[in-house]
């Protein structure tokens, strides 16, 4: 064996994964995917639909086991179109899952990653969060309905086109004027993009969730529908009860006060600094913080 053959064999032995490692990696990937699918199903109305699909599969297996020919024939014909039916039924959940995969940075190339939020942009978003919370508190006291959509990674251009473009600064006075009863835009939703009011009077997709209570109207259904079809965070103020709610990821969090709403919005909108950056910014050395002694 010459040197070249020895080197090629060495490279193959070093970089070719062993059977144990590949099997373990295979199991971990499948387990992770199954876990994420179960977590996604449990958070949405797909949980009830998944139970129905599982019952159908068990029935088909039992019918074939007990040689029930007619039942097996009907179930097999139904299962042939099962994949297409699942895509149609689980369309919102599949769309949200694909959007979540697209927002992950695991396999993201540098050019596809979203730009890091600057300190100035963080300050703009903090002011926007304060304005939204102040507005929600004021409108809640007067039982004035409101619907505020805060755009994140998912582009809401299609929703913005349904309303009136404003491109204005966000503050309680402007939002209060928009949602004041009798104004042309008070029935629609306000879309906030980059810490500013992008559009008002926008129409949102309604949720088909059957678990919505009777005390919640079209605004709550629209908020849930928007959160089911995107990663947007939606703030709702009920016109009947004045209750403040927040919708995200297809879940509606109700009966919030200003402080709780602020904490939720800040955690969702303003990215938190890693511990290392905080140490660099605030953890200076003792000699750097103290002025030099004069003799």
């Amino acid at each position: 064996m010459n040197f070249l053959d020895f080197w090629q064999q060495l490279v193959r032995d070093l970089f070719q994964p062993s059977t144990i490692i590949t099997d373990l990696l295979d199991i971990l990937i499948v387990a992770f995917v199954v876990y994420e699918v179960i977590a996604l199903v449990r958070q949405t109305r797909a949980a009830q639909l998944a139970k129905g699909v599982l019952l159908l599969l068990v029935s088909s297996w039992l019918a074939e086991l007990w040689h029930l020919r007619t039942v097996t024939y009907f179930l097999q014909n139904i299962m042939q179109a099962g994949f297409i039916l699942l895509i149609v039924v689980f369309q919102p959940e599949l769309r949200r899952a694909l959007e979540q995969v697209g927002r992950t940075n695991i396999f993201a190339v540098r050019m596809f990653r979203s730009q890091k939020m600057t300190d100035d942009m963080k300050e703009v978003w903090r002011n926007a969060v304060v304005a939204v919370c102040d507005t929600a508190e004021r409108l809640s006291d007067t039982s004035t309905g409101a619907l505020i959509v805060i755009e994140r990674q998912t582009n809401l251009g299609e929703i913005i086109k349904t309303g009136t473009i404003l491109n204005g600064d966000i503050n309680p006075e402007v939002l209060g004027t928009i949602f004041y009863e009798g104004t042309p835009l008070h029935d629609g939703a306000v879309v906030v993009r980059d810490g500013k009011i992008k559009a008002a009077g926008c129409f949102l997709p309604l949720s088909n969730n059957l678990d919505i209570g009777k005390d919640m109207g079209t605004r709550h259904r629209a908020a849930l529908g928007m959160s089911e079809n995107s990663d947007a965070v939606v703030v709702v103020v009920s016109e009947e009860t004045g209750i403040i709610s927040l919708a995200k990821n297809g879940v509606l969090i109700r009966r919030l006060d200003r402080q709780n709403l602020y904490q939720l919005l800040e955690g969702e909108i303003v990215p938190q600094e890693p511990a290392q950056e905080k140490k660099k910014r605030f953890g200076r050395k003792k000699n750097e913080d103290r002025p030099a002694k004069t003799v």
Side-chain angles (χ1 to χ4, degrees):
M1 179 182 293
N2 55 27
F3 178 76
L4 182 59
D5 295 336
F6 171 77
W7 177 254
Q8 291 177 351
Q9 183 65 33
L10 179 62
V11 170
R12 282 195 296 267
D13 293 340
L14 289 176
F15 292 97
Q16 185 175 3
S18 63
T19 305
I20 298 177
I21 296 177
T22 54
D23 292 343
L24 180 61
L25 181 62
D26 190 19
I27 294 173
L28 290 176
I29 292 175
V30 173
F32 175 76
V33 172
V34 172
Y35 172 79
E36 291 295 329
V37 170
I38 294 175
L40 178 64
V41 168
R42 290 184 62 184
Q43 294 177 358
T44 64
R45 63 186 179 93
Q48 290 77 18
L49 298 176
K51 293 177 182 178
V53 173
L54 181 61
L55 180 61
L56 189 63
L57 292 173
V58 173
S59 301
S60 177
W61 176 72
L62 291 176
E64 187 175 356
L65 181 64
W66 294 338
H67 304 287
L68 303 176
R69 298 180 180 178
T70 306
V71 177
T72 303
Y73 172 77
F74 280 109
L75 291 177
Q76 286 180 349
N77 288 335
I78 293 174
M79 296 303 295
Q80 286 179 358
F83 182 73
I84 298 177
L85 290 175
L86 285 177
I87 293 178
V88 174
V89 173
F90 291 99
Q91 186 269 337
E93 287 76 13
L94 291 173
R95 176 175 176 176
R96 188 169 1 138
L98 292 176
E99 287 178 351
Q100 290 177 356
V101 172
R103 290 194 297 269
T104 57
N105 291 325
I106 299 177
F107 302 107
V109 185
R110 191 171 187 178
M111 62 180 297
F112 292 108
R113 290 180 179 174
S114 57
Q115 296 180 353
K116 185 179 180 180
M117 188 178 292
T118 61
D119 292 338
D120 293 339
M121 200 62 202
K122 289 181 181 179
E123 188 64 26
V124 171
W125 271 117
R126 287 192 182 96
N127 294 334
V129 168
V130 171
V132 170
C133 294
D134 291 342
T135 302
E137 185 180 34
R138 294 182 185 180
L139 297 180
S140 175
D141 293 337
T142 59
S143 294
T144 303
L147 192 58
I148 304 173
V149 181
I150 301 177
E151 183 187 62
R152 294 202 288 180
Q153 297 294 329
T154 304
N155 189 286
L156 302 181
E158 297 179 359
I159 302 299
I160 292 173
K161 291 179 181 178
T162 63
T164 302
I165 305 298
L166 296 181
N167 288 325
D169 294 334
I170 183 170
N171 56 68
E173 289 73 22
V174 174
L175 291 175
T177 302
I178 292 174
F179 292 115
Y180 182 77
E181 187 176 359
T183 58
L185 303 176
H186 82 282
D187 277 336
V190 166
V191 177
V192 178
R193 172 185 285 179
D194 296 332
K196 296 182 179 294
I197 300 176
K198 181 62 179 180
C202 301
F203 296 96
L204 306 183
L206 299 181
S207 173
N208 295 322
N209 193 331
L210 301 178
D211 297 330
I212 297 179
K214 295 181 179 179
D215 59 333
M216 291 182 284
T218 306
R219 282 191 177 90
H220 297 86
R221 193 174 292 277
L224 273 178
M226 190 74 262
S227 66
E228 289 173 353
N229 290 276
S230 69
D231 66 337
V233 178
V234 188
V235 177
V236 191
V237 180
S238 174
E239 187 174 356
E240 288 76 17
T241 61
I243 295 176
I244 302 174
S245 305
L246 183 140
K248 63 172 184 176
N249 298 329
V251 178
L252 190 65
I253 306 173
R254 302 198 67 200
R255 304 184 185 280
L256 299 173
D257 56 15
R258 187 193 181 282
Q259 184 63 27
N260 292 333
L261 179 62
Y262 177 80
Q263 292 176 353
L264 289 173
L265 287 180
E266 187 183 32
E268 293 290 336
I269 305 303
V270 183
Q272 302 296 322
E273 294 182 355
Q276 295 180 354
E277 292 186 6
K278 289 185 178 180
K279 287 182 179 180
K280 290 181 180 180
R281 181 173 297 183
F282 301 107
R284 297 177 181 175
K285 296 180 180 180
K286 295 181 179 180
N287 294 335
E288 293 178 356
D289 290 337
R290 296 177 181 177
K293 294 182 179 181
T294 56
V295 180

